[in-house]
Amino acid sequence: QVHLVESGGGLVQAGDSLSLSCAASGRATTRYTVGWFRQAPGKEREFVAAMTWTRVTNYADSAKGRFTISRDNAKNTVYLQMNSLKPEDTAVYYCAAGPTASITGLNYAYWGQGTPVTVSS
């Protein structure tokens, strides 16, 4: 089993930057696709960014040009660098991992507990 733990969320102002981390433990593999999703209050969980084990990336339109996903396989850690944050980015952010081919979907094998991000105007 793989356990994922997010960290780095907090309260920031619009235009600020924030970096999230997701630490993996257990029987993780470097061949997993990793992704970031978010869920705002009263809304469904949505895709933000993902990276395959070959380091091919995919971003939601809302994140493109502002967010960057990266991974350090030696440390079993995934990162999400968020720049130029907007109030619309306010949500609980979740990291996910698994042997999925549909990297923008919700069908990942493993999920973290989430870390909240609040962006004030």
Side-chain angles (χ1 to χ4, degrees):
Q1 190 175 1
V2 176
H3 300 274
L4 305 175
V5 180
E6 304 95 335
S7 62
L11 174 62
V12 298
Q13 295 185 127
D16 284 353
S17 297
L18 198 62
S19 182
L20 307 181
S21 298
C22 174
S25 62
R27 288 181 164 84
T29 175
T30 58
R31 290 183 174 267
Y32 280 167
T33 294
V34 295
W36 286 95
F37 294 76
R38 67 187 183 188
Q39 188 166 17
K43 297 184 178 180
E44 294 185 347
R45 192 170 300 186
E46 65 177 3
F47 168 78
V48 177
M51 176 180 285
T52 68
W53 67 274
T54 59
R55 296 189 178 273
V56 175
T57 59
N58 201 338
Y59 295 93
D61 288 340
S62 61
K64 201 170 301 181
R66 298 189 298 126
F67 295 1
T68 302
I69 186 172
S70 61
R71 63 194 295 178
D72 187 335
N73 291 334
K75 296 181 178 180
N76 289 325
T77 302
V78 184
Y79 305 94
L80 183 68
Q81 177 64 46
M82 304 186 293
N83 299 324
S84 302
L85 284 163
K86 306 174 182 179
E88 306 93 274
D89 297 318
T90 296
V92 176
Y93 283 71
Y94 300 86
C95 66
T100 178
S102 183
I103 64 174
T104 63
L106 297 175
N107 201 214
Y108 282 71
Y110 306 103
W111 293 84
Q113 298 299 314
T115 185
V117 173
T118 301
V119 184
S120 63
S121 59

PDB file of all heavy atoms in Angstrom, residues 89-105:
ATOM      1  N   ASP A  89      -8.463  29.935  -6.917  1.00  0.00           N
ATOM      2  CA  ASP A  89      -7.631  28.779  -6.610  1.00  0.00           C
ATOM      3  C   ASP A  89      -7.895  28.223  -5.217  1.00  0.00           C
ATOM      4  O   ASP A  89      -7.332  27.185  -4.854  1.00  0.00           O
ATOM      5  CB  ASP A  89      -6.149  29.140  -6.728  1.00  0.00           C
ATOM      6  CG  ASP A  89      -5.756  29.538  -8.139  1.00  0.00           C
ATOM      7  OD1 ASP A  89      -6.204  28.876  -9.098  1.00  0.00           O
ATOM      8  OD2 ASP A  89      -4.993  30.513  -8.282  1.00  0.00           O
ATOM      9  N   THR A  90      -8.704  28.893  -4.442  1.00  0.00           N
ATOM     10  CA  THR A  90      -9.018  28.442  -3.093  1.00  0.00           C
ATOM     11  C   THR A  90      -9.685  27.073  -3.131  1.00  0.00           C
ATOM     12  O   THR A  90     -10.717  26.890  -3.774  1.00  0.00           O
ATOM     13  CB  THR A  90      -9.930  29.447  -2.385  1.00  0.00           C
ATOM     14  OG1 THR A  90      -9.236  30.686  -2.219  1.00  0.00           O
ATOM     15  CG2 THR A  90     -10.344  28.932  -1.014  1.00  0.00           C
ATOM     16  N   ALA A  91      -9.088  26.121  -2.447  1.00  0.00           N
ATOM     17  CA  ALA A  91      -9.597  24.754  -2.435  1.00  0.00           C
ATOM     18  C   ALA A  91      -8.720  23.897  -1.536  1.00  0.00           C
ATOM     19  O   ALA A  91      -7.651  24.325  -1.101  1.00  0.00           O
ATOM     20  CB  ALA A  91      -9.610  24.171  -3.850  1.00  0.00           C
ATOM     21  N   VAL A  92      -9.171  22.694  -1.285  1.00  0.00           N
ATOM     22  CA  VAL A  92      -8.320  21.682  -0.685  1.00  0.00           C
ATOM     23  C   VAL A  92      -7.604  20.971  -1.823  1.00  0.00           C
ATOM     24  O   VAL A  92      -8.239  20.502  -2.769  1.00  0.00           O
ATOM     25  CB  VAL A  92      -9.123  20.672   0.156  1.00  0.00           C
ATOM     26  CG1 VAL A  92      -8.215  19.570   0.683  1.00  0.00           C
ATOM     27  CG2 VAL A  92      -9.808  21.389   1.311  1.00  0.00           C
ATOM     28  N   TYR A  93      -6.300  20.903  -1.732  1.00  0.00           N
ATOM     29  CA  TYR A  93      -5.492  20.301  -2.783  1.00  0.00           C
ATOM     30  C   TYR A  93      -5.061  18.897  -2.383  1.00  0.00           C
ATOM     31  O   TYR A  93      -4.548  18.680  -1.285  1.00  0.00           O
ATOM     32  CB  TYR A  93      -4.267  21.167  -3.078  1.00  0.00           C
ATOM     33  CG  TYR A  93      -4.602  22.383  -3.896  1.00  0.00           C
ATOM     34  CD1 TYR A  93      -5.315  23.443  -3.344  1.00  0.00           C
ATOM     35  CD2 TYR A  93      -4.241  22.471  -5.246  1.00  0.00           C
ATOM     36  CE1 TYR A  93      -5.655  24.552  -4.101  1.00  0.00           C
ATOM     37  CE2 TYR A  93      -4.568  23.577  -6.003  1.00  0.00           C
ATOM     38  CZ  TYR A  93      -5.276  24.613  -5.431  1.00  0.00           C
ATOM     39  OH  TYR A  93      -5.606  25.716  -6.189  1.00  0.00           O
ATOM     40  N   TYR A  94      -5.271  17.961  -3.298  1.00  0.00           N
ATOM     41  CA  TYR A  94      -4.955  16.562  -3.066  1.00  0.00           C
ATOM     42  C   TYR A  94      -3.908  16.082  -4.056  1.00  0.00           C
ATOM     43  O   TYR A  94      -3.953  16.425  -5.233  1.00  0.00           O
ATOM     44  CB  TYR A  94      -6.202  15.689  -3.241  1.00  0.00           C
ATOM     45  CG  TYR A  94      -7.349  16.002  -2.314  1.00  0.00           C
ATOM     46  CD1 TYR A  94      -8.278  16.981  -2.632  1.00  0.00           C
ATOM     47  CD2 TYR A  94      -7.499  15.299  -1.125  1.00  0.00           C
ATOM     48  CE1 TYR A  94      -9.335  17.264  -1.784  1.00  0.00           C
ATOM     49  CE2 TYR A  94      -8.554  15.570  -0.276  1.00  0.00           C
ATOM     50  CZ  TYR A  94      -9.469  16.559  -0.616  1.00  0.00           C
ATOM     51  OH  TYR A  94     -10.521  16.825   0.231  1.00  0.00           O
ATOM     52  N   CYS A  95      -2.994  15.278  -3.579  1.00  0.00           N
ATOM     53  CA  CYS A  95      -2.096  14.604  -4.500  1.00  0.00           C
ATOM     54  C   CYS A  95      -2.589  13.180  -4.703  1.00  0.00           C
ATOM     55  O   CYS A  95      -3.287  12.610  -3.859  1.00  0.00           O
ATOM     56  CB  CYS A  95      -0.643  14.616  -4.008  1.00  0.00           C
ATOM     57  SG  CYS A  95      -0.316  13.678  -2.506  1.00  0.00           S
ATOM     58  N   ALA A  96      -2.250  12.628  -5.842  1.00  0.00           N
ATOM     59  CA  ALA A  96      -2.690  11.293  -6.200  1.00  0.00           C
ATOM     60  C   ALA A  96      -1.590  10.583  -6.967  1.00  0.00           C
ATOM     61  O   ALA A  96      -0.735  11.213  -7.588  1.00  0.00           O
ATOM     62  CB  ALA A  96      -3.972  11.359  -7.035  1.00  0.00           C
ATOM     63  N   ALA A  97      -1.636   9.273  -6.933  1.00  0.00           N
ATOM     64  CA  ALA A  97      -0.643   8.475  -7.635  1.00  0.00           C
ATOM     65  C   ALA A  97      -1.241   7.139  -8.028  1.00  0.00           C
ATOM     66  O   ALA A  97      -2.155   6.635  -7.376  1.00  0.00           O
ATOM     67  CB  ALA A  97       0.598   8.263  -6.765  1.00  0.00           C
ATOM     68  N   GLY A  98      -0.716   6.576  -9.093  1.00  0.00           N
ATOM     69  CA  GLY A  98      -1.169   5.272  -9.511  1.00  0.00           C
ATOM     70  C   GLY A  98      -0.794   4.948 -10.928  1.00  0.00           C
ATOM     71  O   GLY A  98      -0.336   5.821 -11.672  1.00  0.00           O
ATOM     72  N   PRO A  99      -0.988   3.703 -11.311  1.00  0.00           N
ATOM     73  CA  PRO A  99      -0.671   3.257 -12.671  1.00  0.00           C
ATOM     74  C   PRO A  99      -1.819   3.548 -13.632  1.00  0.00           C
ATOM     75  O   PRO A  99      -2.360   2.645 -14.258  1.00  0.00           O
ATOM     76  CB  PRO A  99      -0.448   1.762 -12.490  1.00  0.00           C
ATOM     77  CG  PRO A  99      -1.392   1.396 -11.386  1.00  0.00           C
ATOM     78  CD  PRO A  99      -1.419   2.594 -10.459  1.00  0.00           C
ATOM     79  N   THR A 100      -2.186   4.808 -13.752  1.00  0.00           N
ATOM     80  CA  THR A 100      -3.315   5.185 -14.587  1.00  0.00           C
ATOM     81  C   THR A 100      -2.857   5.787 -15.911  1.00  0.00           C
ATOM     82  O   THR A 100      -1.865   6.509 -15.981  1.00  0.00           O
ATOM     83  CB  THR A 100      -4.226   6.191 -13.864  1.00  0.00           C
ATOM     84  OG1 THR A 100      -5.296   6.578 -14.727  1.00  0.00           O
ATOM     85  CG2 THR A 100      -3.446   7.436 -13.453  1.00  0.00           C
ATOM     86  N   ALA A 101      -3.631   5.487 -16.954  1.00  0.00           N
ATOM     87  CA  ALA A 101      -3.364   6.062 -18.263  1.00  0.00           C
ATOM     88  C   ALA A 101      -4.156   7.340 -18.487  1.00  0.00           C
ATOM     89  O   ALA A 101      -3.767   8.184 -19.290  1.00  0.00           O
ATOM     90  CB  ALA A 101      -3.688   5.051 -19.365  1.00  0.00           C
ATOM     91  N   SER A 102      -5.263   7.483 -17.775  1.00  0.00           N
ATOM     92  CA  SER A 102      -6.102   8.670 -17.870  1.00  0.00           C
ATOM     93  C   SER A 102      -5.696   9.633 -16.762  1.00  0.00           C
ATOM     94  O   SER A 102      -6.317   9.674 -15.696  1.00  0.00           O
ATOM     95  CB  SER A 102      -7.575   8.292 -17.766  1.00  0.00           C
ATOM     96  OG  SER A 102      -8.409   9.428 -17.924  1.00  0.00           O
ATOM     97  N   ILE A 103      -4.681  10.417 -17.030  1.00  0.00           N
ATOM     98  CA  ILE A 103      -4.056  11.184 -15.957  1.00  0.00           C
ATOM     99  C   ILE A 103      -4.889  12.361 -15.475  1.00  0.00           C
ATOM    100  O   ILE A 103      -4.622  12.892 -14.396  1.00  0.00           O
ATOM    101  CB  ILE A 103      -2.654  11.675 -16.369  1.00  0.00           C
ATOM    102  CG1 ILE A 103      -2.735  12.648 -17.542  1.00  0.00           C
ATOM    103  CG2 ILE A 103      -1.765  10.486 -16.727  1.00  0.00           C
ATOM    104  CD1 ILE A 103      -1.398  13.266 -17.898  1.00  0.00           C
ATOM    105  N   THR A 104      -5.882  12.778 -16.234  1.00  0.00           N
ATOM    106  CA  THR A 104      -6.725  13.895 -15.813  1.00  0.00           C
ATOM    107  C   THR A 104      -7.978  13.432 -15.088  1.00  0.00           C
ATOM    108  O   THR A 104      -8.736  14.258 -14.579  1.00  0.00           O
ATOM    109  CB  THR A 104      -7.137  14.769 -17.010  1.00  0.00           C
ATOM    110  OG1 THR A 104      -7.938  14.001 -17.919  1.00  0.00           O
ATOM    111  CG2 THR A 104      -5.905  15.282 -17.748  1.00  0.00           C
ATOM    112  N   GLY A 105      -8.203  12.146 -15.023  1.00  0.00           N
ATOM    113  CA  GLY A 105      -9.377  11.605 -14.373  1.00  0.00           C
ATOM    114  C   GLY A 105      -9.158  11.338 -12.896  1.00  0.00           C
ATOM    115  O   GLY A 105      -8.056  11.522 -12.363  1.00  0.00           O
TER     116      GLY A 105
END
